[in-house]
Amino acid sequence: MADSIAAAAQKHPAPEGLIYQYGTAGFRTKAEVLDSVMTRCGLIAALRSRALKGKWIGVMITASHNPPEDNGVKLVEPLGNMLQEEWEVLSTEMANKATPEDVSKFYHEIAARFKIDLDAPARVVVARDTRASGARLLACVLDGLKGAGAEHKDYGFLTTPQLHYMVRCLNTEGTKDSYGTPTEDGYYEKFAAAFKTALKGKKPSGSLTVDCANGVGGPKLTELIKHLPPKEEALEIFVVNDNVIKPEALNVDCGADYVKTNQRAPPSSKVGPNDRCCSLDGDADRVVFYFKDANNMFHLLDGDRIATLVASFLGDLVRQSGLSDSIKIGVVQTAYANGAATNYVEQHLKLKVDCTPTGVKYLHHAAEKLDIGVYFEANGHGTAIFSVDTLETIAKHEPKSTAQKEALEVLRACIDLINQAVGDALSDFMLVEVVLAHKSWGPQEWLSTYNDLPNRLLKVIVNDRKIFQTTDAERRLVKPDGIQTKIDQEVQKVRQGRSFARASGTEDAVRVYAEAATKAEADDLARKVAEIVKSFGSA
């Protein structure tokens, strides 16, 4: 076995002088320097599968909202969740081994450390987004899997959430927890049927225009639409920015990240006033909504808005089903959530809010501890998770009236409509449409639930981001000494002020967030906190 591992690594030698890091999004960088990483991820995936007695592990080749010349890879655990942290560390170490011999040695060290039987079966599922580099990088992964003697299933092009779905389905097939049929058609049929049931004959007002970032979500949404009820009965969907024939168009002037960052619709947008629109990102695991009002003013309905909408609806359903004594709902946010959203959830919806560090894995982990945990990052990545006990309670519940019975049917359909494995833009936008249909709301009513506090996000380039250390879910700095006191002094000078600074996870920079009662105060506060960071960061 040792020789076949070294031989696989030998085929794709690591570039000299580059350090790789498995982060929140797995490995992600310029596609031309990823060959060695891909092969080694194949080896790690095989080991992880063997460590879990041959369960299927997922490998997704994608760089999501990054530019077309980038690519990346992330590994997926058996229930469709993110790779365990301990294995993120092992992946990083493996990616940075200098020689094929070092790779083989480390492979065997991991096997010894975790008592992994290297003759046990290893099963790995692979898929990729539409980037031009995907085919080459897939071949590198397959070389790693072959070297490790792993069985693999290649699903070709999938959205990231579809790959997570396949992994969960393959591992639960034939059990009482069966998640669905592990095929693309199985995915469309499950979510389309749940959408139809959850709508309960109600029709969303108007149409929805979906910007697919010229990524894999375009062709997949077109397939999904074929399984949905006809537009006369349910929802008319217009698919735009779905050009996957030109990989260089991916995420360019379109997509969720463009809309969120620039606070404007894609330049290609041709919709009228109050028309609902949403944008996916390049691998379709994020979605944000937006519209232009009668005065041509742009309004963003981001992850915070989706979380409050979904939490409010699920809360209604739980209450109307007669389950509010046994099921508690909570919302999980990061420090980037707008203060007005937090306030709305706590004061108006009367639901608990937990705050975690930035990064989906932290939100997901916190949500798993709740009966029903709703989490969305402001960038539109999120989902709702139902605990095992909660699912059982809902399944066993006997309704006492027709109204309870109807609410319970919609609640059960929503459970099927929400991708429990991971944030899924296709499933999330359908869930939003279900809620709007039940509430008879258009985008204006949704927007008017609360007013966002004006906020500003700045990036400060520093010499060494590692000196900036945080506590309290990244809301306060503990290092460098004295910096937090100075930030607090500035915050106290403005109405409804809040600000925090945290080191970027991807570059030598510190991100500064500020919000206040007016735009001028928020801008001014952000500028002053950025100056404080700069003075400490260049010292």
Side-chain angles (χ1 to χ4, degrees), residues 299-316:
H299 298 281
L300 178 68
L301 297 152
D302 62 5
D304 289 343
R305 296 273 178 186
I306 297 172
T308 52
L309 185 76
V310 168
S312 137
F313 185 59
L314 291 176
D316 290 346

Side-chain angles (χ1 to χ4, degrees), residues 11-275:
K11 279 178 84 170
H12 307 286
E16 271 181 48
L18 276 184
I19 304 289
Y20 298 99
Q21 177 70 45
Y22 195 105
T24 308
F27 293 107
R28 194 179 287 183
T29 183
K30 294 281 170 277
E32 71 254 21
V33 295
L34 276 171
D35 295 39
S36 62
V37 173
M38 293 288 168
T39 305
R40 295 164 187 212
C41 276
L43 299 175
I44 289 285
L47 280 172
R48 184 71 183 131
S49 175
R50 288 192 170 111
L52 296 168
K53 309 283 182 277
K55 282 196 160 63
W56 290 95
I57 292 294
V59 174
M60 183 69 200
I61 301 169
T62 180
S64 184
H65 60 275
N66 281 40
E69 60 275 13
D70 290 2
N71 215 324
V73 59
K74 46 186 163 189
L75 304 187
V76 179
E77 292 275 309
L79 285 181
N81 38 353
M82 306 216 175
L83 187 63
Q84 255 195 9
E85 224 156 321
E86 191 173 18
W87 283 77
E88 287 182 9
V89 176
L90 296 174
S91 302
T92 297
E93 216 174 314
M94 180 65 99
N96 291 305
K97 291 294 175 197
T99 67
E101 291 70 33
D102 293 341
V103 168
S104 178
K105 185 166 171 258
F106 188 54
Y107 180 89
H108 287 86
E109 278 172 18
I110 296 172
R113 190 190 314 175
F114 293 96
K115 301 186 171 48
I116 297 169
D117 174 5
L118 290 177
D119 294 324
R123 299 188 181 95
V124 179
V125 191
V126 289
R128 59 192 167 105
D129 71 15
T130 54
R131 289 162 197 272
S133 55
R136 186 188 88 244
L137 296 177
L138 171 67
C140 302
V141 172
L142 297 181
D143 282 341
L145 294 175
K146 194 171 153 200
E151 176 194 339
H152 79 272
K153 259 187 212 291
D154 177 8
Y155 277 94
F157 297 108
L158 287 182
T159 69
T160 294
Q162 285 179 323
L163 183 271
H164 284 254
Y165 165 89
M166 298 306 169
V167 174
R168 188 165 180 144
C169 289
L170 285 165
N171 284 308
T172 57
E173 219 174 0
T175 71
K176 69 171 175 49
D177 299 320
S178 171
Y179 195 63
T181 311
T183 62
E184 244 190 277
D185 269 349
Y187 171 93
Y188 301 129
E189 282 157 15
K190 172 175 174 153
F191 289 104
F195 179 62
K196 187 180 177 180
T197 309
L199 275 175
K200 262 276 183 249
K202 291 184 166 58
K203 190 175 178 335
S205 66
S207 61
L208 177 69
T209 299
V210 186
D211 150 32
C212 298
N214 292 322
V216 68
K220 301 308 180 192
L221 173 54
T222 303
E223 278 307 306
L224 172 63
I225 290 169
K226 293 175 188 170
H227 294 78
L228 294 176
K231 61 185 182 198
E232 297 76 30
E233 287 174 29
L235 175 66
E236 185 167 19
I237 299 173
F238 296 108
V239 181
V240 298
N241 297 327
D242 60 343
N243 182 357
V244 290
I245 308 302
K246 274 176 56 187
E248 66 276 15
L250 177 69
N251 295 319
V252 176
D253 288 343
C254 60
D257 203 56
Y258 175 88
V259 172
K260 173 76 179 148
T261 307
N262 295 290
Q263 300 278 316
R264 56 167 294 191
S268 58
S269 179
K270 302 284 183 285
V271 294
N274 289 315
D275 281 349

Side-chain angles (χ1 to χ4, degrees), residues 314-331:
L314 291 176
D316 290 346
L317 290 176
V318 164
R319 204 166 40 253
Q320 290 158 8
S321 305
L323 283 162
S324 44
D325 289 343
S326 42
I327 295 174
K328 295 286 171 270
I329 300 178
V331 175

Side-chain angles (χ1 to χ4, degrees), residues 340-354:
T342 310
N343 200 28
Y344 175 75
V345 176
E346 290 180 332
Q347 305 303 319
H348 184 77
L349 300 179
K350 304 277 187 253
L351 298 176
K352 174 171 162 331
V353 174
D354 290 330

